[in-house]
């Protein structure tokens, strides 16, 4: 997969884009959002197609409940 956080976005199409963690649509374009955290030494990413989907996501990060 091409890096979806790249500023170029030239090689990212709907098939190679990560899926939105809320609705399952491709997370592409200027509206996309990404949440990243470290869990047990591993980087975990959740991608979203829009701020609305990001806001609707039930936050699963360990620190979210604190």
């Amino acid at each position: 997969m091409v890096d979806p956080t790249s500023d170029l976005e030239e090689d990212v199409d709907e098939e190679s884009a990560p899926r939105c963690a809320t609705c399952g649509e491709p997370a592409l374009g200027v509206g996309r959002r990404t949440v990243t955290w470290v869990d047990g030494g591993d980087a975990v990413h959740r991608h979203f197609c829009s701020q609305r989907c990001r806001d609707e996501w039930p936050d699963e990060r360990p620190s979210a409940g604190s």
Side-chain angles (χ1 to χ4, degrees), residues 10-50:
E10 293 175 0
D11 295 329
V12 178
D13 58 20
E14 287 191 17
E15 290 183 22
S16 62
R19 297 293 165 185
C20 177
T22 302
C23 73
E25 292 296 317
L28 286 172
V30 297
R32 77 170 186 267
R33 300 290 183 261
T34 303
V35 174
T36 304
W37 69 96
V38 176
D39 184 15
D42 295 321
V44 181
H45 309 279
R46 295 294 179 263
H47 300 277
F48 305 93
C49 63
S50 67

Side-chain angles (χ1 to χ4, degrees), residues 46-66:
R46 295 294 179 263
H47 300 277
F48 305 93
C49 63
S50 67
Q51 184 62 46
R52 183 187 62 134
C53 279
R54 164 59 181 99
D55 292 343
E56 292 175 4
W57 174 60
D59 201 330
E60 64 192 89
R61 294 175 292 178
S63 63
S66 302

